[in-house]
Amino acid sequence: MSAETERSSTESCPASGLDFEDTALTLTLRLPGSSSSSAADADRKRGASSSTSPAAHQSPSLAAAGAPPAPKAQVVGWPPVRSFHKNALAAKFVKVAVDGAPYLRKVNLHDYAGYDHLIRALQDKFCSHFTIRRFGNDETKLVDAVNGTEYVPTYEDKDGDWMLVGDVPWKMFVEACQRVRLMKNSEAVNLAPRAAR
Amino acid sequence: MGRAGGPAAPPWHSLPDEVWEHAFSFLPADADRGAAACACHGWLRAERRSRRRLVVPNCYATDPRDAVDRFPSVRAAEVKGKPHFADFGLLPPSWGAYAAPWVAAAADGWPLLEELSFKRMFVTDECLEMIASSFRNFQVLRLNSCEGFTTAGLAAITEGCRNLKELDLQENYIDDCSSHWLSNFPECYTSLEALNFSCLHGEVNFTVLERLVSRCRNLKTLKLNNAIPLDNVASLLRKAPQIIELGTGKFSADYHPDLFAKVEAAFAGCTSLRRLSGTWDAVPDYLPAFYCVCEGLTSLNLSYATVQGPELIKFISRCKNLLQLWVMDLIEDHGLSVVASSCSKLQELRVFPSDPFGHNGGQVFLTERGLVDVSASCPKLESVLYFCSRMTNEALVMIAKNRPNFTCFRLALLEPRSPDYITRQPLDAGFSAIVESCKGLRRLSMSGLLTDLVFKSIGAHADRLEMLSLAFAGDSDLGLNDILSGCKSLKKLEIRDCPFGDKALLANAAKLETMRSLWMNSCSLTVGGCRLLALKMPHLTVEIINDPGETCPVESLPFDSPVEKLYVYRTLAGPRSDTPDCVQIV
């Protein structure tokens, strides 16, 4: 499990990618009236609720006062749908291109629980001699072990812009992604640098 | 039948055990047999020695060897393992529920065992090999939502169980070792009556399957996997027109008139077909090929089918004798109103979400309207599972008024804490109406915005309620207290993300021993509270479950450390010894 317990739940972060339900964006709220131990919650992965009356509808994503409207928050295991059912749902197939490869592949983004899972699948699909190299600042690159070429995973979003994979929450990425390109590192440096965490 | 002098003993005291055993065989429910066994030693002896069917709803409630010792004549056993919320990823994978001790005990003490069912348990290939070699008259194996085994284990079963009648694999996670499990059925083997391999991913040898189906003239149930194309399904049906239950697997193909005609002809021969399921991938053109069987269908499971539109509705409207319908919300309100007017015998409806996580922009297909219509027009409707995006108190009140005969009502609103979308009020009034009206309600799942008020109603009125599921509901411990101090028949309680704390649990500790189990995650429990509960109730196992990788020993944590996941269950066996690091029994 990734170190998501140290992060505030209101900060968006890439999913650990381990299990479909265990995405890092697990915001759970408790309504007022919970026990006094809620004071200890501040640094736990579950966010504390704002003190609204129970009658008011409260979007689970607006945990912190004044936070910008977050995308629909995904809670682990809700709605209560079994994985067998999820597998039957509409697929989202996107093309995947690797610079220098003769043909493209297609992957179903709904098959994957998160970024780690997707990267590993890309590794399997394209070349068994790709290794995954993770950097301290959370960047992930695929490296061709044969010739040392580094590939950076990028994707085209709904606006037609080419983005670095991994910045936005996984579910948001699945929604926005139109195609994926493993870009040679030499070209990728031209993409906008990531915002500091 | 002698009579002693002095005060005359009632004559039935000296009846031989066989008479009592015969009498007990007329008691349909295990609970009745259990009650009879409590009457006196004689009845206890006669009942337990003649018990043929044993259900163990919690595999950790007893040591398997004790169960085998107590009921030595069992021919059919069913054992369930993980709690229900494991289905939604809330339990770490290594939690437990191993089938091996049960298989070993059964192999030792029940050599005449004929049927074995496991649900939500960890079953290994070694277990399957042991089953295949230990019971000479083994006939039925049912594995539901299990994992830990491969097709190699299945091969041991198909090879070793010469009298196998039923192999039912439902929603298991099975590793495909490309073992030719299907080919292992000997050529002389003809006793197969039910085969369900819908959850297997790999290819099966179709020729072998076809020969198997041809020679097993008693085959009644056949549920195929996605690897079998439509053309082959039609061929199989021609070999087995006597089939009663069919799962078609991946029912998708480009439209070809020849294929359509073949499918139509194949189904026309299946005059006994009553139950139909499959993963239908939106091919409306083929639905008319089924029209000939619609009238006879009592059960239709389209919960894996993404087919929609007028063809779907036309198809369902022809199924006038449906008792059970499982479908995706792609049917929409309009489709359900057609169901309401066409399927007057409907008893069970389940509607599943086609876009549970809003990947398709949160399009709304289905509202409260659909459920209101069906409950108004289907007088026999008693069981509902309904996923939708919005609800009102008014709709729930209407549903409650129309259908006081509900025994199972499960409503899952996609967004946690959704209020009545018109009045913006909590849905307390609606759910209260349900429990007040439906006096026979045995199972209830609630969602949406709910305050402590609704729990007052439930505690007071839900006398027959056996299973309650709560999510993102309530304001305080009062809510949980009302449930635990009321609900006379409560057996299973599962709670997630509710502001319930230790107080209500400790105040109602004794209640927990009358229940089978309690699950709570993401509530307001503390380590100290759980420790107190365990101290107070020695016959309960109190498990604190952390995320895998978090193994901070509970003893070293302060009293008010929060508990993320709690699982409490009564047991005769004491604390289990097979816990992984992330589970601690206090």
Side-chain angles (χ1 to χ4, degrees), chain A:
Chain A
M1 199 70 140
S2 70
E4 58 211 11
T5 44
E6 286 111 58
R7 297 190 216 174
S8 157
S9 59
T10 54
E11 177 192 335
S12 51
C13 46
S16 66
L18 277 178
D19 177 75
F20 190 93
E21 288 91 351
D22 287 341
T23 59
L25 196 63
T26 54
L27 301 179
T28 57
L29 292 188
R30 292 188 320 209
L31 289 174
S34 51
S35 70
S36 56
S37 63
S38 61
D41 283 351
D43 52 347
R44 297 198 304 123
K45 71 176 170 188
R46 284 171 39 225
S49 68
S50 48
S51 50
T52 53
S53 75
H57 174 48
Q58 190 170 13
S59 165
S61 57
L62 295 178
K72 179 171 161 199
Q74 300 297 342
V75 181
V76 175
W78 192 268
V81 174
R82 304 194 57 198
S83 13
F84 272 92
H85 176 82
K86 281 184 240 170
N87 291 343
L89 302 178
K92 178 160 181 171
F93 277 97
V94 296
K95 291 182 188 170
V96 182
V98 175
D99 288 351
Y103 51 82
L104 280 62
R105 300 296 300 270
K106 264 199 161 163
V107 296
N108 176 6
L109 292 180
H110 288 181
D111 279 349
Y112 309 110
Y115 289 113
D116 279 351
H117 198 181
L118 171 66
I119 299 292
R120 268 184 273 136
L122 292 180
Q123 177 193 32
D124 286 342
K125 264 197 147 63
F126 279 95
C127 276
S128 47
H129 57 256
F130 269 172
T131 56
I132 297 174
R133 190 175 293 169
R134 273 168 234 290
F135 296 84
N137 56 352
D138 279 333
E139 281 184 6
T140 301
K141 294 195 173 107
L142 284 154
V143 180
D144 186 339
V146 172
N147 56 28
T149 317
E150 282 184 352
Y151 294 85
V152 174
T154 65
Y155 71 100
E156 185 182 11
D157 72 359
K158 285 185 168 168
D159 298 326
D161 295 321
W162 284 93
M163 317 286 296
L164 207 53
V165 164
D167 281 337
V168 298
W170 171 253
K171 298 287 200 297
M172 212 175 170
F173 163 75
V174 170
E175 171 70 38
C177 175
Q178 302 302 297
R179 49 194 300 161
V180 171
R181 177 177 161 207
L182 297 184
M183 206 181 269
K184 280 210 180 108
N185 200 22
S186 46
E187 289 191 46
V189 295
N190 295 327
L191 284 176
R194 265 193 201 194
R197 285 187 177 268

Side-chain angles (χ1 to χ4, degrees), chain B residues 325-375:
Chain B
L325 174 64
W326 295 14
V327 74
M328 290 245 215
D329 59 4
L330 299 167
I331 193 174
E332 301 190 333
D333 287 339
H334 166 63
L336 281 183
S337 75
V338 172
V339 168
S341 52
S342 313
C343 308
S344 57
K345 299 185 185 168
L346 197 67
Q347 293 173 6
E348 180 183 326
L349 174 69
R350 296 194 193 184
V351 181
F352 294 88
S354 58
D355 185 24
F357 307 108
H359 284 146
N360 301 333
Q363 252 179 295
V364 167
F365 297 105
L366 183 88
T367 71
E368 78 281 8
R369 186 86 246 132
L371 186 55
V372 170
D373 283 344
V374 178
S375 64

Side-chain angles (χ1 to χ4, degrees), chain B residues 54 210 217 251 271 303 332 472 516 549:
Chain B
L54 184 66
E210 210 176 14
R217 304 311 317 157
F251 193 92
T271 51
S303 59
E332 301 190 333
F472 307 99
R516 186 180 305 157

Side-chain angles (χ1 to χ4, degrees), chain B residues 152-167:
Chain B
L154 293 181
I157 294 286
T158 55
E159 187 184 17
C161 301
R162 294 304 158 108
N163 296 320
L164 195 69
K165 286 206 187 124
E166 184 174 332
L167 180 59

